Short mmCIF file of all heavy atoms in Angstrom, two decimals:
data_model
loop_
_atom_site.label_atom_id
_atom_site.label_comp_id
_atom_site.label_asym_id
_atom_site.label_seq_id
_atom_site.Cartn_x
_atom_site.Cartn_y
_atom_site.Cartn_z
N ASP A 114 -105.96 -195.74 34.64
CA ASP A 114 -106.90 -196.45 33.70
C ASP A 114 -106.32 -197.42 32.81
O ASP A 114 -107.11 -198.27 32.22
CB ASP A 114 -107.69 -195.38 32.92
CG ASP A 114 -108.59 -194.41 33.75
OD1 ASP A 114 -109.06 -194.81 34.76
OD2 ASP A 114 -108.61 -193.26 33.39
N ALA A 143 -99.57 -195.01 36.61
CA ALA A 143 -99.50 -195.54 37.94
C ALA A 143 -98.45 -196.72 37.98
O ALA A 143 -98.13 -197.35 36.95
CB ALA A 143 -100.91 -196.04 38.38
N VAL A 154 -87.33 -204.61 14.93
CA VAL A 154 -86.73 -203.66 14.10
C VAL A 154 -87.77 -202.63 13.61
O VAL A 154 -88.43 -202.06 14.49
CB VAL A 154 -86.10 -204.35 12.91
CG1 VAL A 154 -84.92 -203.57 12.33
CG2 VAL A 154 -85.48 -205.78 13.29
N VAL A 177 -104.98 -200.16 26.49
CA VAL A 177 -103.56 -200.42 26.15
C VAL A 177 -103.06 -199.23 25.51
O VAL A 177 -103.74 -198.58 24.68
CB VAL A 177 -103.37 -201.55 25.24
CG1 VAL A 177 -101.82 -201.66 24.84
CG2 VAL A 177 -103.81 -202.93 26.01
N ALA A 179 -100.07 -198.14 23.19
CA ALA A 179 -98.92 -198.90 22.23
C ALA A 179 -98.31 -197.94 21.33
O ALA A 179 -99.06 -197.04 20.80
CB ALA A 179 -99.71 -200.00 21.53
N ASN A 212 -75.09 -201.57 13.65
CA ASN A 212 -75.01 -203.09 13.86
C ASN A 212 -76.39 -203.72 14.29
O ASN A 212 -76.66 -204.81 13.69
CB ASN A 212 -73.93 -203.41 15.00
CG ASN A 212 -73.77 -204.95 15.14
OD1 ASN A 212 -72.94 -205.49 14.39
ND2 ASN A 212 -74.28 -205.47 16.23
N ASP A 213 -77.15 -203.05 14.92
CA ASP A 213 -78.44 -203.61 15.43
C ASP A 213 -79.60 -202.99 14.81
O ASP A 213 -80.80 -203.39 15.12
CB ASP A 213 -78.45 -203.34 17.01
CG ASP A 213 -77.34 -204.08 17.66
OD1 ASP A 213 -77.20 -205.33 17.42
OD2 ASP A 213 -76.68 -203.36 18.60
N GLU A 216 -77.87 -202.56 9.50
CA GLU A 216 -77.06 -203.44 8.71
C GLU A 216 -77.73 -204.91 8.70
O GLU A 216 -78.21 -205.23 9.74
CB GLU A 216 -75.64 -203.58 9.25
CG GLU A 216 -74.81 -202.22 8.90
CD GLU A 216 -73.47 -202.31 9.45
OE1 GLU A 216 -73.10 -203.15 10.15
OE2 GLU A 216 -72.69 -201.25 9.15
N ALA A 233 -84.54 -201.81 -6.97
CA ALA A 233 -84.68 -200.87 -8.06
C ALA A 233 -84.36 -201.55 -9.43
O ALA A 233 -85.04 -201.22 -10.49
CB ALA A 233 -83.59 -199.68 -7.88
N LYS A 235 -84.69 -204.93 -10.12
CA LYS A 235 -85.87 -205.78 -10.40
C LYS A 235 -87.04 -205.10 -11.03
O LYS A 235 -87.64 -205.62 -11.96
CB LYS A 235 -86.40 -206.47 -9.09
CG LYS A 235 -87.49 -207.39 -9.31
CD LYS A 235 -87.93 -208.06 -7.91
CE LYS A 235 -89.16 -208.95 -8.19
NZ LYS A 235 -89.45 -209.63 -6.88
N ILE A 248 -88.41 -186.08 -4.54
CA ILE A 248 -88.75 -184.67 -4.63
C ILE A 248 -90.26 -184.44 -4.24
O ILE A 248 -90.60 -183.55 -3.50
CB ILE A 248 -88.48 -184.08 -5.98
CG1 ILE A 248 -86.92 -184.10 -6.19
CG2 ILE A 248 -88.99 -182.75 -6.16
CD1 ILE A 248 -86.47 -183.62 -7.55
N GLU A 252 -91.72 -182.45 -1.16
CA GLU A 252 -92.74 -181.20 -1.27
C GLU A 252 -93.94 -181.49 -0.48
O GLU A 252 -94.52 -180.56 0.07
CB GLU A 252 -93.03 -181.15 -2.75
CG GLU A 252 -91.77 -180.68 -3.72
CD GLU A 252 -92.08 -180.66 -5.15
OE1 GLU A 252 -93.00 -181.29 -5.55
OE2 GLU A 252 -91.38 -179.93 -5.83
N ARG A 253 -94.39 -182.76 -0.45
CA ARG A 253 -95.62 -182.96 0.39
C ARG A 253 -95.31 -182.77 1.91
O ARG A 253 -96.12 -182.17 2.66
CB ARG A 253 -96.13 -184.42 0.14
CG ARG A 253 -96.72 -184.70 -1.18
CD ARG A 253 -97.14 -186.12 -1.38
NE ARG A 253 -97.73 -186.44 -2.64
CZ ARG A 253 -98.41 -187.39 -2.97
NH1 ARG A 253 -98.59 -188.43 -2.13
NH2 ARG A 253 -98.91 -187.64 -4.24
N ALA A 262 -100.54 -178.98 8.81
CA ALA A 262 -101.22 -180.15 8.64
C ALA A 262 -100.82 -181.36 9.58
O ALA A 262 -101.64 -182.21 9.98
CB ALA A 262 -101.16 -180.73 7.28
N ALA A 322 -97.62 -192.78 20.02
CA ALA A 322 -98.36 -193.56 20.94
C ALA A 322 -99.82 -193.55 20.48
O ALA A 322 -100.32 -192.48 20.17
CB ALA A 322 -98.03 -193.17 22.38
N GLY A 344 -108.10 -205.12 11.30
CA GLY A 344 -107.34 -206.30 11.13
C GLY A 344 -105.88 -205.97 11.08
O GLY A 344 -105.45 -204.79 10.95
N GLN A 350 -90.37 -213.49 4.39
CA GLN A 350 -89.83 -214.00 3.21
C GLN A 350 -88.35 -213.90 3.29
O GLN A 350 -87.80 -213.64 4.46
CB GLN A 350 -90.29 -213.35 1.93
CG GLN A 350 -90.07 -211.94 1.82
CD GLN A 350 -90.83 -211.13 0.82
OE1 GLN A 350 -91.86 -211.50 0.35
NE2 GLN A 350 -90.14 -210.21 0.09
N ALA A 351 -87.53 -214.23 2.28
CA ALA A 351 -86.15 -214.17 2.36
C ALA A 351 -85.61 -212.86 2.84
O ALA A 351 -86.03 -211.73 2.35
CB ALA A 351 -85.54 -214.47 0.90
N PRO A 352 -84.62 -212.71 3.73
CA PRO A 352 -84.18 -211.45 4.32
C PRO A 352 -83.72 -210.48 3.26
O PRO A 352 -83.81 -209.28 3.41
CB PRO A 352 -82.92 -211.96 5.17
CG PRO A 352 -83.39 -213.34 5.59
CD PRO A 352 -84.06 -213.93 4.38
N TRP A 354 -84.89 -209.81 0.48
CA TRP A 354 -86.00 -209.19 -0.21
C TRP A 354 -87.00 -208.54 0.80
O TRP A 354 -88.13 -208.50 0.52
CB TRP A 354 -86.73 -210.13 -1.20
CG TRP A 354 -85.85 -210.47 -2.38
CD1 TRP A 354 -85.14 -211.58 -2.55
CD2 TRP A 354 -85.63 -209.55 -3.46
NE1 TRP A 354 -84.44 -211.46 -3.73
CE2 TRP A 354 -84.73 -210.26 -4.39
CE3 TRP A 354 -85.98 -208.30 -3.79
CZ2 TRP A 354 -84.23 -209.67 -5.49
CZ3 TRP A 354 -85.58 -207.74 -4.93
CH2 TRP A 354 -84.66 -208.36 -5.86
N THR A 357 -89.52 -205.75 -0.50
CA THR A 357 -90.89 -206.15 -1.16
C THR A 357 -91.83 -206.82 -0.20
O THR A 357 -93.01 -207.14 -0.70
CB THR A 357 -90.71 -206.97 -2.36
OG1 THR A 357 -90.16 -208.21 -1.99
CG2 THR A 357 -89.77 -206.33 -3.29
N SER A 358 -91.49 -206.97 1.05
CA SER A 358 -92.45 -207.75 1.90
C SER A 358 -93.67 -207.03 2.21
O SER A 358 -94.69 -207.71 2.54
CB SER A 358 -91.66 -208.11 3.25
OG SER A 358 -91.13 -206.90 3.90
N PHE A 386 -86.81 -196.94 1.83
CA PHE A 386 -86.20 -196.45 0.65
C PHE A 386 -87.38 -196.06 -0.33
O PHE A 386 -88.46 -196.68 -0.17
CB PHE A 386 -85.26 -197.40 -0.05
CG PHE A 386 -84.21 -197.88 0.88
CD1 PHE A 386 -84.29 -199.02 1.57
CD2 PHE A 386 -83.06 -197.05 1.06
CE1 PHE A 386 -83.37 -199.38 2.49
CE2 PHE A 386 -82.05 -197.38 1.94
CZ PHE A 386 -82.10 -198.64 2.65
N MET A 391 -92.61 -197.37 -3.89
CA MET A 391 -92.80 -197.39 -5.34
C MET A 391 -93.26 -198.88 -5.83
O MET A 391 -94.13 -199.06 -6.64
CB MET A 391 -91.60 -196.92 -6.08
CG MET A 391 -91.34 -195.53 -5.93
SD MET A 391 -89.63 -195.08 -6.42
CE MET A 391 -89.72 -195.13 -8.28
N GLU A 402 -101.81 -190.41 -5.50
CA GLU A 402 -102.51 -189.47 -4.71
C GLU A 402 -103.16 -190.01 -3.46
O GLU A 402 -103.66 -189.36 -2.49
CB GLU A 402 -103.78 -188.72 -5.40
CG GLU A 402 -104.73 -189.62 -5.95
CD GLU A 402 -104.52 -190.22 -7.38
OE1 GLU A 402 -103.31 -190.20 -7.85
OE2 GLU A 402 -105.36 -190.83 -7.91
N ALA A 422 -95.51 -197.04 14.41
CA ALA A 422 -96.73 -196.39 15.17
C ALA A 422 -96.93 -195.03 14.55
O ALA A 422 -97.95 -194.46 14.37
CB ALA A 422 -96.39 -196.25 16.59
N THR A 427 -100.06 -190.88 11.68
CA THR A 427 -100.19 -189.93 10.45
C THR A 427 -101.39 -190.34 9.60
O THR A 427 -102.13 -189.58 9.10
CB THR A 427 -98.93 -189.92 9.64
OG1 THR A 427 -97.83 -189.39 10.51
CG2 THR A 427 -99.06 -189.04 8.40
N LEU A 428 -101.56 -191.65 9.38
CA LEU A 428 -102.64 -192.17 8.46
C LEU A 428 -103.94 -191.74 9.05
O LEU A 428 -104.80 -191.20 8.44
CB LEU A 428 -102.53 -193.68 8.45
CG LEU A 428 -103.68 -194.42 7.67
CD1 LEU A 428 -103.78 -194.00 6.27
CD2 LEU A 428 -103.58 -195.86 7.89
N GLY A 449 -86.49 -209.60 6.33
CA GLY A 449 -87.37 -210.12 5.31
C GLY A 449 -88.82 -210.10 5.68
O GLY A 449 -89.68 -210.93 5.13
#
Side-chain angles (χ1 to χ4, degrees):
D114 295 329
V154 204
V177 174
N212 188 75
D213 298 310
E216 291 178 348
K235 176 180 178 179
I248 289 169
E252 289 174 342
R253 290 181 179 193
Q350 59 190 36
W354 288 102
T357 62
S358 54
F386 303 96
M391 293 167 70
E402 62 270 17
T427 296
L428 174 64

